[in-house]
Amino acid sequence: MSATTLKPLDAIWLMLESDETPMHVGVLATFRKPAGAGTRFYADMAREMRAAEVVAPWNLRLDKGPLARLAADPGFDIDYHFRRSALAQPGGERELGRMISRLHSHPLDRRRPLWEFHLIEGLEGDRFAFYIKLHHALVDAVNGVPMLLSALASSARARRTPPLWAQPIASGSDGDLVEEYRLPDLAQAVDALGAVGKVAAGMLQSALRPSERNSFLFPRGTPKSTLNRRINSQRRFATQQFAVARCTALAEATGSTVNEILTYLCGSTLRRFFKEYNALPDSSLIGMMPVSLQERGEHIAGNAIAGIRVPLGTDVGDPLARLAAVKESMKKVRADRASLPAEAVTPYVMMRAAPLYASQLGALGRWIPPQFNLVVSNTHGADKALYFNGAKLEAVYPLSQLMQFSALSIDCVSYAGTFNIGFTGARDTLPHLQRMAVYFGKAVDELEERVAQAEVAQ
């Protein structure tokens, strides 16, 4: 296969990578062994996975040269990319979290195809896990969870499910993951330039309006926070899982949307966590939510670094008042989202994200004011249970890349009636990240209690 050039928005992730900010994402998936599985279940599964044919882009590595291109790796070694290990006893969530935190801290080797797969045995309750790490330049989505879910079976009876590297990576568009980049024709170029001009004019007007508080290019109102210090490559990871039905019931009881409830829960978690360390800013922490235009029939790569800023209500003490503040913030978000142009999506994203790109450039970065304090994302996963060789997928969690001056990402995925929350944090900045996962669960309990009290009072 000849070398193929990565799309510009994918190649940016390679440009932004440094020793302190590796640009890989990850997925942690836990499974329960099928009933009646024999003692050779893991050995047989590992043997079959190693023997599977490797297809593009899993067998492609970065090509030498000035352009970001992928080419076949003549020395591809499946034993380097596929690894089998076991947890220390008792094999609980703490031991799993420690292993995943360590694995996610190490950058990928650019001399090889940019991925690793870890089969992890020894989880308590007769369970095992997959941890997949791959470079964000290869993932055409906010995280790698949809990629994994698309490779699983919908039936417990299905066997010999091919591993990830035997299947092409599904793209968010009709095209391939990697493609030869071509310039648009003249008519497209004229339309794009006109759209970019309108976007630039709108941004300039926003910058000149003192009342504008939610401009991504000229942000105001982002408080100084512990989250916006310089970080290194070491990561911590924590998880939380709860029923979608609980979130839906809260949304109905409060006249909210599920996304508003999830945003509220993030804000409540952060408020409690940072108050404990006497590090809560006086004004609300700002979350950056990645933009998606897929529902409008317009392809924008999830790899694009752009999003909409959302105040999380961390400055409001009363839970119900905090929820009201979050709902008001989300109304503004929806209006901003609806105003995004359908034309010239890529130039728009590049322009809107310019300050974020600049903030990652060495010494220059410290002079760029933070656009947000953390990243918050919500991805639809799968509505029904999925399986790998008869083993039921019980939970799936995204692990994010972290950028300089942004030490936390809270990422939610819905799966089979549950919300699965992954907390990816910079180790030195957030030394007790597991508490954040605990506080997220308590925030659900707290809001349920306040809603029940309000219903009784009526």
Side-chain angles (χ1 to χ4, degrees):
M1 177 181 179
S2 60
T4 49
T5 304
L6 284 170
K7 291 178 283 189
L9 290 177
D10 298 340
I12 284 174
W13 292 98
L14 295 168
M15 296 168 56
L16 291 178
E17 189 165 54
S18 69
D19 292 341
E20 293 77 23
T21 55
M23 289 295 150
H24 58 258
V25 296
V27 182
L28 171 64
T30 59
F31 296 82
R32 184 171 297 279
K33 285 175 63 176
T39 57
R40 291 194 53 80
F41 175 77
Y42 294 123
D44 291 341
M45 180 167 59
R47 175 177 47 78
E48 291 176 1
M49 295 175 84
R50 283 197 180 98
E53 179 185 4
V54 182
V55 302
W58 301 97
N59 60 350
L60 306 181
R61 70 176 185 184
L62 286 174
D63 194 31
K64 296 180 180 179
L67 299 177
R69 303 193 304 171
L70 297 178
D73 180 6
F76 181 85
D77 180 5
I78 187 61
D79 288 329
Y80 175 85
H81 296 278
F82 174 78
R83 308 180 188 187
R84 181 183 173 192
S85 56
L87 287 179
Q89 292 301 309
E93 298 303 320
R94 181 182 297 273
E95 288 75 26
L96 180 60
R98 286 174 176 168
M99 175 179 283
I100 300 304
S101 298
R102 184 174 67 253
L103 293 174
H104 202 62
S105 297
H106 299 298
L108 291 162
D109 186 348
R110 287 197 177 204
R111 297 169 299 179
R112 301 174 182 269
L114 296 171
W115 63 276
E116 293 176 8
F117 181 97
H118 297 258
L119 168 60
I120 303 171
E121 306 169 23
L123 274 70
E124 60 185 359
D126 220 16
R127 297 177 301 143
F128 64 96
F130 291 166
Y131 165 69
I132 305 103
K133 176 167 69 174
L134 71 166
H135 204 283
H136 211 327
L138 301 182
V139 186
D140 193 10
V142 172
N143 57 63
V145 170
M147 172 201 66
L148 171 65
L149 297 183
S150 68
L152 300 180
S154 58
S155 171
R157 295 187 295 273
R159 293 295 188 273
R160 298 190 179 279
T161 305
L164 281 171
W165 49 93
Q167 307 180 48
I169 294 181
S171 172
S173 68
D174 294 332
D176 297 328
L177 171 74
V178 289
E179 62 186 11
E180 201 68 45
Y181 183 66
R182 295 179 177 86
L183 293 175
D185 61 32
L186 181 59
Q188 292 174 323
V190 170
D191 290 343
L193 288 173
V196 170
K198 292 177 182 178
V199 171
M203 287 183 170
L204 181 58
Q205 291 175 6
S206 296
L208 297 176
R209 284 199 299 267
S211 61
E212 176 61 50
R213 303 292 293 179
N214 202 31
S215 165
F216 203 94
L217 189 60
F218 297 97
R220 301 185 180 94
T222 303
K224 292 183 178 179
S225 166
T226 301
L227 295 171
N228 301 112
R229 296 175 179 172
R230 290 197 68 87
I231 63 173
N232 58 30
S233 63
Q234 297 302 299
R235 302 288 178 260
R236 290 186 186 274
F237 183 66
T239 63
Q240 176 62 268
Q241 184 185 59
F242 67 101
V244 169
R246 297 178 69 187
C247 196
T248 302
L250 286 171
E252 293 176 351
T254 59
S256 309
T257 67
V258 169
N259 273 340
E260 288 169 348
I261 295 296
L262 289 172
T263 305
Y264 159 85
L265 294 173
C266 290
S268 299
T269 299
L270 293 165
R271 177 179 171 84
R272 181 166 186 169
F273 183 87
F274 285 110
K275 279 196 72 175
E276 182 176 284
Y277 295 98
N278 196 30
L280 183 69
D282 293 333
S283 55
S284 176
L285 290 170
I286 303 295
M288 191 275 280
M289 294 185 174
V291 173
S292 173
L293 299 180
Q294 302 292 351
E295 68 274 13
R296 294 174 58 182
E298 185 74 32
H299 173 58
I300 178 172
N303 280 351
I305 309 171
I308 297 178
R309 302 169 67 252
V310 183
L312 300 176
T314 57
D315 56 333
V316 181
D318 179 74
L320 294 181
R322 189 180 315 128
L323 176 58
V326 167
K327 290 171 67 175
E328 182 63 27
S329 297
M330 294 294 284
K331 286 181 182 178
K332 295 179 181 179
V333 165
R334 284 191 287 270
D336 191 11
R337 184 187 180 106
S339 69
L340 293 176
E343 313 90 4
V345 173
T346 296
Y348 173 82
V349 168
M350 302 288 279
M351 182 182 297
R352 190 162 186 161
L356 182 55
Y357 297 139
S359 70
Q360 305 300 301
L361 300 178
L364 177 63
R366 68 185 64 185
W367 300 104
I368 305 296
Q371 284 77 58
F372 52 87
N373 301 111
L374 69 152
V375 174
V376 178
S377 74
N378 179 23
T379 303
H380 177 72
D383 296 325
K384 296 182 180 180
L386 297 172
Y387 302 84
F388 185 82
N389 287 341
K392 182 180 180 180
L393 175 66
E394 294 196 329
V396 58
Y397 303 100
L399 290 90
S400 282
Q401 81 294 332
L402 296 180
M403 293 190 175
Q404 205 56 260
F405 308 109
S406 181
L408 176 65
S409 185
I410 303 177
D411 303 284
C412 176
V413 170
S414 60
Y415 166 69
T418 62
F419 279 127
N420 300 256
I421 319 294
F423 300 82
T424 308
R427 175 178 290 273
D428 294 343
T429 306
L430 300 169
H432 300 289
L433 190 63
Q434 185 58 43
R435 295 182 186 178
M436 197 174 291
V438 173
Y439 295 161
F440 198 99
K442 290 184 176 180
V444 180
D445 298 337
E446 178 186 50
L447 185 58
E448 287 175 334
E449 182 179 342
R450 292 300 298 268
V451 168
Q453 290 173 351
E455 290 176 346
V456 170
Q458 293 177 355

